[in-house]
Amino acid sequence: MSKWLCILILACATAAHAAPQGTNSDDMDRLLADKGLLTRLEDVSHKVADKAHTVADRASDLVVNAMGFLGVPYKRGGNSAETGFDCSGFVRAIYQQTVGLVLPRRADQQAASTQVIDKKELQPGDLVFFNTMRRTFSHVGIYVGDGKFIHSPRSGSEVRVEDMRQSYWQRRFDGARRVTPTAGTQVGQVDDIK
């Protein structure tokens, strides 16, 4: 897709450079249309817009689905709403139900299998990791936007939204990750999920 965009830009630059001084925009439009470049540009622009809508819809679905589990109790090793969730079980369940990807079971494994991004690049649906047990990537949550994340924090607590700007979370922040299709296994491809 970017190859076609580069070709289009090069063709436009060449045509603009080669055109006589008095050429108006109608002549340029005709030239581009004759070469079929306007149709290609429209196709590329529609594909980019469709991809952007798909990504935004997926992130929105993730956050909405995660919010549906507010109040579910924490349970060490838990991975369902019926039994309760631990942090990584919660993230894994949300991604499996919403996107169809089965992420690794532990928070550190989830960090290792996802794409590193800068904190400034966080978008809803991205993963945020914290050092809450004196080891890196010992806690994970899902970024929901506006500096907040949803997670299953600890024993005696329940799934909730918290602000990453609170000093507790700021001091323990380990990094942000983006889940890509290669980060997990497609649900239909899994033989035995435990």
Side-chain angles (χ1 to χ4, degrees), residues 48-85:
V48 169
D50 290 347
K51 187 86 122 169
H53 286 298
T54 301
V55 170
D57 290 346
R58 181 176 280 178
S60 176
D61 291 347
L62 272 164
V63 171
V64 168
N65 191 25
M67 292 294 191
F69 291 97
L70 286 170
V72 171
Y74 177 92
K75 180 176 185 340
R76 186 167 191 246
N79 56 15
S80 74
E82 294 77 28
T83 61
F85 292 112

Side-chain angles (χ1 to χ4, degrees), residues 8 12 15-16 19 23-39 41-42:
L8 176 64
C12 289
T23 304
N24 63 31
S25 64
D26 290 338
D27 291 338
M28 184 61 69
D29 289 344
R30 271 194 296 278
L31 173 67
L32 291 174
D34 289 345
K35 300 287 184 188
L37 296 175
L38 284 179
T39 306
L41 179 59
E42 288 173 3

Side-chain angles (χ1 to χ4, degrees), residues 136-150:
T136 57
F137 307 114
S138 55
H139 188 69
V140 63
I142 299 172
Y143 186 72
V144 297
D146 194 30
K148 295 180 173 57
F149 71 107
I150 186 168

Side-chain angles (χ1 to χ4, degrees), residues 113-124:
S113 70
T114 50
Q115 177 187 349
V116 176
I117 59 170
D118 191 88
K119 191 176 186 178
K120 292 177 273 186
E121 298 172 14
L122 274 169
Q123 296 175 4

